[in-house]
Amino acid sequence: MKYYRSHVLVCVDPDCLHRGAHEALDAFQDELVAQGLIDEVQVLETSRIGACSQGPEMMVYPEGVHYAGYTVDDIPFIVEEHFLKGRVAKKFELPAETAIDEELSAPTPKEMRVVLRNCGQIDPENIEDYIAENGYMGLAKALTSMTPEQVIDEVLASGLRGRGGAGFPTARKWQFCRASAGQVKYVICNADEGDPGAFMNRRVLEGDPHAVIEGMIIAAYAIGSSQGYVYCRAEYPIAVQTLNIAIEQARAMGFLGQNILGTDFSFDLEVRMGAGAFVCGEETALMASIEGKRGEPRPRPPFPAVSGLWAKPSNVNNVETYANVPQIITNGAAWYAGFGTEKSKGTKTFALAGDVKHTGLIEVPFGLSLREVVFDVGGGIKDDKGFKAIQTGGPMGGCLPEAYLDLPVDYESLTAAGSMMGSGGLVVMDDETCMVDIARFFMEFTQEESCGKCTPCRVGTKRILEILDRICGGEGREGDIELLETLCEQIKQDSLCGLGQGAPTPVVSTLKHFRDEYEIHIREKRCPAKVCKALIRYEILPEFCTGCTVCARNCPTAAITGERRQTHLIDVDTCIRCGICMQVCNFNAIVIR
Amino acid sequence: MTIATIDGKVVLEAVNKAVEEHGATIDELIPILNDVNRTLGYLPANALDEISRRLRVPKSQLFSVSSFYRMFSTKPRGKHVVQFCESAPCHVVGGRQVWASLLDHLKIGPGETSPDGNWTLITTSCLGVCGVGPVIIIDDDIYGNVAPDQIAEILARYSETRE
């Protein structure tokens, strides 16, 4: 490989493209040629490196200087200052603290990056960048010095478990599929990352697609498969595009196709797009969707390892699971097993969202406590409010209160606490959150996403939602809580797939940890967090009201009356509780009761 | 509905292009439907008829698939499609107020198309850009960190380019 003294990474995320990233790239190349520096400085495209609000942004390595806020006309100046004179062009340098990637910032001390190691660091559209970071080393090692059985043993020894949420040992799945009879077998990557708030897989696909591809090729070798599919949701158009480019480049380099790396092993890969159906993240529904059918799950067994896509043995793993594999093979099982807890090895990526200071992606070794995740990695609660709950495991996960903050993050502990690992969404809620409203909200989601095939899920989620709607609407009745509990239990027991079985979890967990809030909603017709509209009313405090008429003029339903310089009054029956008056009042005279 | 029915020739062209690109096999059905839905804005009955003929797939199966996935529409959609992310991360950072503002400005409900055929309002599942919620998408443009009082200004950008 050619040696360059500097590397310039220009962000080509949609925002930066919009602000002229391609023009900047061209201008940079031209200026480097003009200054005779083109053999010393390499210009590369990369995924998001910053907030992109002052794009096109760029990073200069090895110095790690972050430039933004310049125009094409400023590029000669930057080239002269930085690359000719060797000093930072201060005018356009972003100070380290403002140069934050909103999705993925520099790792905090408690983090450990295995899956996300290359994201934002390399050009995802250039396979050589990946190779320079020891990419495809694991594949070379597996194909040339290991038997398929040895590959499976190595992954088994690493303790890698399914990162899609269920946590099934990855190597066991591979063993089953390998042992299944038949010549034709499929390797499938589940990139249907549908959990609201979870975007770890999207970032890996967009930032380091070759890691996933390499993991899939290694899995195919271990299982004995010659064809693979990546099933990616249609909501991720950039991920699909990046993947297709990466697959083409891998093919051109001989990592995909016939006789990979000169061995007699052949394997190829195709991307399939979904069309907007959450349930397709369930593996049997996903395979039905690849076959061109409605994405409805079917009962298991038979498991995909025996009869999967087109009734052939198939291995389905999540994006993150595959992305771990190359490094396990390259660095050895013992290295990987060195992170995490006894039963949950390695690291896990999470998407931190909600009322936490630093939202975005993190990757931590298993075993860190929820408190460390929320307060050390996440920086604590936004606006210095109090912590109320954290929801783990996505829409089918549970809400855990403060008492559980010292729980270690691993598969078993979260399940024992009544939640689950899930794919890695973490939604933090502050003390102004209504837990009944949150339960209702998640139920609305699962009810809508229920595919309708089995009755407990289709009808049961609807009934739960109706009860929760009633409670939030101020019409809760005695016995509702018990009815909810019965329904939840039945849906959990009798549903066909993970969606239905998990759907009641948000309700069950909030009933367990925040039962008093349900009781207050039902018995006192009051929403303690002042969120449920039917249970609150807006009032004007006479001692603060100056009679400025701003609220009355902004009220969409003319519910506020009062003369100028006189205390105003809100009519409870006309008020639609939109909250506009409270936002526009300059004297904090409007309160929620 | 003032939206004109799409010309049969245009429908045929869209189907031809999609089938040629992906191949006339059942496992390419969803990519084909995706392309046609994108080109025409929805999946008109005559498009489904043509796909059924070309792929030798029963119409019943085509309807079952096209009515299942959220991104496919069997009804005409407005000139501009506004998608609102209704997921939890957007919900907890003020999505509810943005939704109210959208309803208020567009004067249509979820899944509805405005009488003048300009707007369709739908909800979408998580788009994975939760770091900048609340999020809305208009046609192919993503807007993050949306505040309720920005809705009027954002929508106006599309009204201007309407004609």
Side-chain angles (χ1 to χ4, degrees):
Chain A
M1 228 176 118
K2 211 168 153 183
Y3 173 79
Y4 292 96
R5 83 176 148 95
S6 285
H7 299 270
V8 179
L9 271 62
V10 180
C11 168
V12 289
D13 242 39
D15 276 343
C16 279
L17 278 180
H18 199 67
R19 291 171 211 268
H22 274 153
E23 290 76 7
L25 270 166
D26 291 344
F28 233 99
Q29 292 280 10
D30 294 347
E31 190 59 27
L32 289 172
V33 171
Q35 298 286 358
L37 294 167
I38 196 70
D39 291 327
E40 294 174 45
V41 181
Q42 189 184 27
V43 186
L44 298 165
E45 297 181 15
T46 188
S47 62
R48 182 174 281 245
I49 49 176
C52 293
S53 53
Q54 301 178 56
E57 297 191 12
M58 65 176 185
M59 273 316 249
V60 183
Y61 287 109
E63 302 92 319
V65 178
H66 194 149
Y67 287 122
Y70 57 88
T71 68
V72 173
D73 299 334
D74 298 317
I75 285 171
F77 171 75
I78 298 176
V79 170
E80 190 185 325
E81 283 294 300
H82 196 119
F83 300 106
L84 223 50
K85 296 183 181 163
R87 55 192 187 204
V88 175
K90 288 247 178 279
K91 199 169 147 193
F92 303 110
E93 189 196 7
L94 272 188
E97 64 269 26
T98 57
I100 315 165
D101 179 338
E102 281 179 40
E103 283 181 5
L104 184 66
S105 26
T108 52
K110 296 208 166 156
E111 280 186 73
M112 165 76 206
R113 299 238 165 120
V114 175
V115 172
L116 296 172
R117 67 178 183 134
N118 286 334
C119 289
Q121 309 290 324
I122 64 164
D123 177 0
E125 297 187 0
N126 185 351
I127 191 169
E128 288 177 358
D129 259 34
Y130 179 66
I131 294 170
E133 295 292 337
N134 293 335
Y136 290 106
M137 286 264 288
L139 177 67
K141 186 174 170 188
L143 288 191
T144 57
S145 68
M146 297 166 87
T147 63
E149 288 81 5
Q150 283 172 327
V151 172
I152 293 178
D153 287 344
E154 192 74 14
V155 175
L156 190 65
S158 77
L160 179 66
R161 296 168 66 174
R163 296 293 189 250
F168 192 80
T170 305
R172 291 258 178 256
K173 243 187 196 178
W174 294 8
Q175 273 173 342
F176 292 141
C177 195
R178 177 165 184 82
S180 287
Q183 285 292 309
V184 181
K185 290 173 186 176
Y186 296 105
V187 166
I188 300 168
C189 174
N190 185 345
D192 196 61
E193 183 183 44
D195 279 8
F199 52 94
M200 306 78 55
N201 295 353
R202 174 178 69 78
R203 194 54 203 253
V204 173
L205 293 169
E206 289 176 7
D208 196 15
H210 288 287
V212 182
I213 296 171
E214 187 184 353
M216 289 184 75
I217 307 171
I218 295 170
Y221 174 69
I223 289 158
S225 156
S226 57
Q227 178 64 45
Y229 292 96
V230 181
Y231 184 88
C232 186
R233 65 202 293 256
E235 287 88 344
Y236 289 177
I238 297 172
V240 171
Q241 195 189 328
T242 316
L243 258 175
N244 276 320
I245 293 170
I247 288 174
E248 221 163 274
Q249 291 181 349
R251 221 176 263 147
M253 285 260 186
F255 296 124
L256 282 172
Q258 296 295 316
N259 302 99
I260 294 170
L261 295 175
T263 63
D264 55 8
F265 171 65
S266 302
F267 176 73
D268 214 334
L269 205 51
E270 265 182 64
V271 181
R272 281 300 145 94
M273 241 160 98
F278 175 74
V279 73
C280 286
E282 197 279 341
E283 58 184 10
T284 59
L286 183 153
M287 292 185 294
S289 186
I290 296 181
E291 292 173 6
K293 298 180 190 147
R294 283 168 83 93
E296 286 176 349
R298 60 158 177 80
R300 293 175 303 185
F303 286 93
V306 176
S307 172
L309 187 61
W310 289 298
K312 306 288 186 205
S314 306
N315 178 70
V316 187
N317 285 134
N318 168 269
V319 170
E320 189 181 338
T321 312
Y322 284 125
N324 273 303
V325 171
Q327 294 190 69
I328 290 173
I329 300 295
T330 309
N331 301 328
W335 167 80
Y336 194 77
F339 310 114
T341 65
E342 193 199 333
K343 285 182 174 170
S344 304
K345 300 289 187 197
T347 61
K348 176 82 193 80
T349 59
F350 291 100
L352 257 183
D355 304 318
V356 68
K357 268 188 196 135
H358 310 307
T359 56
L361 296 185
I362 59 166
E363 182 171 356
V364 294
F366 283 108
L368 225 60
S369 71
L370 284 171
R371 189 185 302 278
E372 287 171 298
V373 170
V374 175
F375 291 91
D376 296 343
V377 182
I381 308 296
K382 226 186 256 176
D383 303 328
D384 293 315
K385 288 180 189 163
F387 171 91
K388 182 155 187 181
I390 180 165
Q391 207 230 11
T392 76
M396 281 97 70
C399 299
L400 301 173
E402 202 169 359
Y404 286 78
L405 272 178
D406 291 312
L407 198 72
V409 178
D410 63 60
Y411 291 99
E412 279 73 23
S413 304
L414 287 175
T415 307
S419 185
M420 64 176 197
M421 177 64 68
S423 65
L426 290 178
V427 183
V428 179
M429 300 163 206
D430 68 22
D431 50 12
E432 293 180 6
T433 313
C434 169
M435 299 314 288
V436 186
D437 176 63
I438 287 292
R440 189 195 63 79
F441 182 81
F442 283 114
M443 220 53 222
E444 208 172 13
F445 176 83
T446 37
Q447 186 263 322
E448 188 168 324
E449 295 294 351
S450 170
C451 78
K453 183 172 177 172
C454 73
T455 319
C457 176
R458 183 184 66 242
V459 180
T461 53
K462 180 82 180 161
R463 290 289 96 82
I464 291 189
L465 180 62
E466 283 167 0
I467 297 169
L468 292 175
D469 269 339
R470 220 172 54 218
I471 297 176
C472 292
E475 286 160 20
R477 302 195 280 255
E478 277 304 320
D480 273 350
I481 291 178
E482 292 69 22
L483 188 56
L484 280 176
E485 283 172 335
T486 314
L487 268 172
C488 286
E489 189 54 35
Q490 287 169 346
I491 297 168
K492 192 178 164 191
Q493 294 281 331
D494 303 331
S495 291
L496 186 59
C497 81
L499 199 162
Q501 291 157 13
T505 317
V507 182
V508 174
S509 64
T510 47
L511 272 173
K512 182 174 166 198
H513 302 303
F514 302 96
R515 200 184 185 91
D516 55 327
E517 284 192 38
Y518 282 85
E519 288 167 355
I520 293 171
H521 275 74
I522 295 170
R523 290 181 194 148
E524 300 173 27
K525 303 280 180 275
R526 200 159 61 76
C527 174
K530 297 175 181 171
V531 171
C532 296
K533 276 191 177 178
L535 302 176
I536 56 168
R537 60 197 164 88
Y538 286 84
E539 257 181 42
I540 296 176
L541 300 172
E543 60 269 38
F544 291 108
C545 180
T546 62
C548 71
T549 75
V550 164
C551 58
R553 279 184 279 127
N554 281 286
C555 177
T557 56
I560 306 179
T561 50
E563 294 297 313
R564 179 169 282 276
R565 296 203 183 85
Q566 302 282 314
T567 299
H568 282 47
L569 200 68
I570 302 175
D571 179 46
V572 183
D573 295 329
T574 332
C575 173
I576 54 166
R577 295 158 179 93
C578 65
I580 290 176
C581 52
M582 199 163 154
Q583 282 168 23
V584 297
C585 180
N586 294 318
F587 307 96
N588 297 326
I590 299 176
V591 291
I592 303 175
R593 297 278 189 209
Chain B
M1 196 72 58
T2 54
I3 299 167
T5 336
I6 299 176
D7 183 46
K9 234 166 86 187
V10 178
V11 170
L12 209 64
E13 253 169 47
V15 173
N16 271 339
K17 198 166 163 269
V19 173
E20 259 163 45
E21 187 173 335
H22 298 285
T25 52
I26 174 74
D27 57 307
E28 296 289 353
L29 177 59
I30 289 168
I32 290 171
L33 290 175
N34 248 326
D35 279 11
V36 174
N37 194 86
R38 207 177 157 74
T39 317
L40 303 176
Y42 74 111
L43 297 168
N46 48 353
L48 293 181
D49 287 351
E50 182 62 18
I51 297 170
S52 148
R53 203 180 61 78
R54 298 283 296 271
L55 266 61
R56 295 167 192 277
V57 173
K59 281 184 204 173
S60 58
Q61 191 183 338
L62 268 180
F63 187 75
S64 106
V65 172
S66 55
S67 61
F68 181 80
Y69 296 94
R70 195 197 279 254
M71 289 194 178
F72 300 147
S73 173
T74 50
K75 280 184 279 179
R77 281 183 177 167
K79 210 174 236 170
H80 301 292
V81 178
V82 182
Q83 298 187 59
F84 168 78
C85 176
E86 56 175 354
S87 299
C90 284
H91 182 78
V92 297
V93 293
R96 207 178 350 207
Q97 287 84 346
V98 171
W99 176 242
S101 179
L102 273 174
L103 291 177
D104 190 42
H105 280 94
L106 293 172
K107 311 243 180 308
I108 47 176
E112 291 177 4
T113 299
S114 61
D116 61 5
N118 275 326
W119 303 103
T120 296
L121 178 62
I122 51 174
T123 55
T124 173
S125 47
C126 181
L127 300 156
V129 284
C130 318
V132 294
V135 174
I136 64 169
I137 302 188
I138 303 182
D139 301 336
D140 283 333
D141 308 326
I142 300 186
Y143 295 91
N145 292 321
V146 178
D149 55 7
Q150 292 175 325
I151 295 293
E153 187 256 325
I154 294 174
L155 293 176
R157 295 183 204 176
Y158 295 84
S159 312
E160 282 156 22
T161 57
R162 203 154 54 194
E163 298 315 322

